[in-house]
Amino acid sequence: MSESHLSTATPGTAPKEPQRFEAQEGAPVPTSPETVGRAPAPWDAAGDPASMNDAQLSARYLLGLSDDAMVYAQRLGEWISRAPQIEEDMALGNVALDLVGQARTLYTRVGELDAEVLPGVQELAEDDLAYFREERQFRNHWLVEQPRGDFAHEMARMLWFAAYQVELYSALVRVDGADEVGVAAARKALKEVDYHRDHAAQWVIRLGDGTEESTRRMAAALATVEPFVRELFTDDPVATEAAARGLGVLPSTLAEPAESFVAGVLRRAGLERPEPGRWNAGGGRTGTHSEQLGYLLAEMQSVARAHPGASW
């Protein structure tokens, strides 16, 4: 067989070894089957969660809560002018604003507790955390980053997320050692997320116990959301350590009351909770996300990154 025309070797000589490059220290790790899911976590500079001091650990615990709120607020903003009625446009917009308010308070506190959450920034502000982190540095759950579906899907997602937030904030305000600003934010947010939960519950009941088409769509929406529910109640390294020190809440302890509330809503709607499938989302709290988050952040962060330092 004749030698390939792509060969760079001189006829009659041995082909050269391919040139290899050694990665420099601190250089980004390329994504490959061996490295995906193993990117450095933001807390690496402070070490393993067990080796952090209380301020560092509280900062990283609150970061997950604020990322959940910020990312879901961005998703809900997509409903403006697309909701089934004008009143619902306003309602979803107000829910999004509530979540933005929660995120702003918590982001500010994260920066006060430990600026090394985002190394290289001298005075860490809320905008730095919202607009100048990469997707692998976000610590939100997969549920809130998933793309917008139909209205039934949004109500199913909101029902589960708000049920989780109600139990989370209710438990956090009772943790004596938790960060005082985080507790104050949770106490204020409780009224908001209770309304979010009730709003979603009323729509799930209305759609589930409505027409044949609305019942079909609501059942399909619950099935679509189900694979993302378990992660809300999965114990991650930061939350586990925070709970052990009396600084936070263990997510697994929230599952029973949240699931009980949702089960009651579904009974009134004449619906059943779908059986869990073979696959469930996970890893959001340690920086592993679906591809959807990258697209969301590209849109959310575009203006701030195009005009860094601008104010208006």
Side-chain angles (χ1 to χ4, degrees):
M1 182 181 294
S2 61
E3 188 174 10
S4 169
H5 69 281
L6 296 177
S7 174
T8 58
T10 303
T13 64
K16 294 181 179 179
E17 286 292 322
Q19 190 172 6
R20 301 183 184 277
F21 297 90
E22 297 297 329
Q24 296 180 353
E25 184 177 355
V29 179
T31 300
S32 69
E34 292 74 30
T35 61
V36 66
R38 303 178 187 178
W43 59 70
D44 282 355
D48 183 79
S51 67
M52 298 177 192
N53 60 42
D54 286 355
Q56 292 171 324
L57 185 61
S58 292
R60 284 151 183 81
Y61 177 75
L62 295 178
L63 184 64
L65 277 55
S66 47
D67 282 348
D68 275 343
M70 189 69 210
V71 171
Y72 193 32
Q74 179 70 11
R75 275 291 178 234
L76 287 174
E78 296 174 1
W79 277 101
I80 303 302
S81 79
R82 295 185 175 93
Q85 56 193 38
I86 294 176
E87 290 84 353
E88 198 58 31
D89 261 11
M90 297 174 63
L92 293 179
N94 285 328
V95 172
L97 287 174
D98 288 342
L99 294 172
V100 169
Q102 295 170 26
R104 292 188 64 187
T105 301
L106 295 174
Y107 278 149
T108 300
R109 186 54 175 165
V110 168
E112 293 171 347
L113 289 169
D114 186 11
E116 287 303 311
V117 167
L118 188 59
V121 180
Q122 292 183 347
E123 295 182 7
L124 191 59
E126 59 189 82
D127 282 3
D128 297 314
L129 290 169
Y131 300 126
F132 295 98
R133 281 184 298 153
E134 306 298 330
E135 61 185 285
R136 299 304 296 271
Q137 295 175 306
F138 273 74
R139 290 305 184 247
N140 58 276
H141 289 117
W142 282 45
L143 176 65
V144 296
E145 69 192 43
Q146 297 311 300
R148 175 175 53 85
D150 64 11
F151 186 70
H153 171 268
E154 201 59 70
M155 291 304 100
R157 169 161 56 178
M158 184 182 293
L159 177 65
W160 272 114
F161 183 63
Y164 156 76
Q165 279 196 310
V166 167
E167 301 304 330
L168 171 64
Y169 290 149
S170 296
L172 187 58
V173 299
R174 297 193 299 268
V175 178
D176 293 336
D179 177 73
E180 58 182 11
V181 176
V183 169
R187 185 173 289 111
K188 178 180 181 296
L190 259 175
K191 295 180 180 179
E192 299 169 346
V193 298
D194 185 63
Y195 163 74
H196 304 168
R197 185 180 68 169
D198 180 68
H199 184 77
Q202 294 303 318
W203 271 109
V204 169
I205 294 168
R206 183 176 177 181
L207 295 173
D209 194 28
T211 66
E212 181 179 346
E213 176 64 10
S214 71
T215 301
R216 182 190 68 79
R217 287 192 177 221
M218 197 66 248
L222 291 166
T224 300
V225 166
E226 182 64 30
F228 302 96
V229 171
R230 182 183 296 180
E231 186 191 17
L232 297 173
F233 310 108
T234 299
D235 298 334
D236 60 274
V238 167
T240 300
E241 183 64 24
R245 294 194 209 175
L247 302 174
V249 177
L250 201 62
S252 57
T253 63
L254 310 175
E256 183 176 352
E259 290 176 346
S260 177
F261 180 87
V262 172
V265 172
L266 297 186
R267 280 195 299 272
R268 293 179 61 189
L271 298 167
E272 294 184 359
R273 181 178 176 182
E275 292 294 326
R278 298 177 60 185
W279 178 85
N280 289 281
R285 284 289 194 253
T286 54
T288 301
H289 296 284
S290 66
E291 66 175 318
Q292 310 301 334
L293 181 62
Y295 296 115
L296 181 148
L297 294 180
E299 180 175 305
M300 185 181 84
Q301 298 176 338
S302 59
V303 174
R305 287 179 178 252
H307 305 282
S311 60
W312 51 84

